[in-house]
Amino acid sequence: MDRLIVCRTCAGGADFAAAIQARVPAGVRVETVECMNLCETPVALALRGPGKDAYLFAGIDPARDRADALALARLYREAPDGRIADARPAGRLRQCLVGRVPG
């Protein structure tokens, strides 16, 4: 199962995770974790899946980035190896990417 992981230590992180929980695509689980070490640019979000590349994002705005986060989760779910070839549907989150870790 793919995981969309949100830092609950970031202000608004836990509420953001709760708001998108019921709307993520099938096969994606929303989790929260303690500090992801991106405190200067909250909210932090990661995507991980078995055998897939992992992604780390920072600067997520809980009020305006919900739809983009859901689009990103769909793109990730549809990418067998986790590599998102065209991230345009993820909107502003393309500019929030901190890094990708090969799977």
Side-chain angles (χ1 to χ4, degrees):
M1 174 158 297
D2 292 338
R3 299 167 29 209
L4 188 152
I5 306 160
V6 178
C7 180
R8 69 175 163 257
T9 309
C10 292
D15 290 339
F16 178 71
I20 63 173
Q21 177 89 34
R23 298 180 56 207
V24 294
V28 177
R29 180 177 63 224
V30 175
E31 299 177 3
T32 61
V33 296
E34 290 297 321
C35 187
M36 292 173 73
N37 254 356
L38 291 164
C39 304
E40 292 182 17
T41 52
V43 165
L45 175 151
L47 291 166
R48 297 197 69 160
K52 290 185 167 186
D53 289 2
Y55 288 88
L56 180 61
F57 297 84
I60 307 300
D61 182 331
R64 69 176 181 171
D65 289 334
R66 290 179 188 173
D68 288 347
L70 292 168
L72 179 64
R74 278 190 296 279
L75 289 169
Y76 190 73
R77 182 68 189 135
E78 293 168 1
D81 58 3
R83 293 193 184 119
I84 298 171
D86 182 3
R88 287 179 291 179
R92 193 184 80 79
L93 297 192
R94 295 180 322 238
Q95 283 79 45
C96 297
L97 179 64
V98 174
R100 177 179 63 84
V101 179

